[in-house]
Amino acid sequence: MRHSSTAADIFMRQNLKESIMELISSAPSTDSPFDQIKKIDEQGNEYWLATELLALLGWGRAGEAVTRGKLNSLV
């Protein structure tokens, strides 16, 4: 005997499909450049190195300026 789909069955399947697609699309992407430079310590805490963040944001030479500033302040 074949089971025929009712309107309620079709509606529930469609809602389930949409819910699954929403979960998939909202899942964190491992392709993020921030995820690629993320560090995790022994306790599982996430952190990023400032120099890597600056480079990622296009401020790669800012670290050099900070270092020069520190050196100049010692003179």
Side-chain angles (χ1 to χ4, degrees), residues 3-73:
H3 175 17
S4 61
S5 295
T6 65
D9 291 335
I10 295 169
F11 178 75
M12 287 177 59
R13 278 197 303 268
Q14 185 63 30
N15 275 348
L16 179 60
K17 182 179 176 182
E18 288 173 5
S19 296
I20 290 171
M21 293 306 292
E22 186 177 322
L23 282 172
I24 290 170
S25 66
S26 67
S29 170
T30 57
D31 295 333
S32 164
F34 295 100
D35 286 337
Q36 293 175 5
I37 65 169
K38 174 176 64 177
K39 311 289 185 210
I40 301 176
D41 67 11
E42 297 83 25
Q43 290 81 31
N45 299 311
E46 298 175 348
Y47 68 96
W48 291 261
L49 299 176
T51 52
E52 290 179 355
L53 281 173
L54 289 170
L56 182 63
L57 296 171
W59 288 75
R61 297 190 58 117
E64 294 173 24
V66 170
T67 301
R68 283 193 308 268
K70 286 180 182 178
L71 291 173
N72 286 336
S73 70

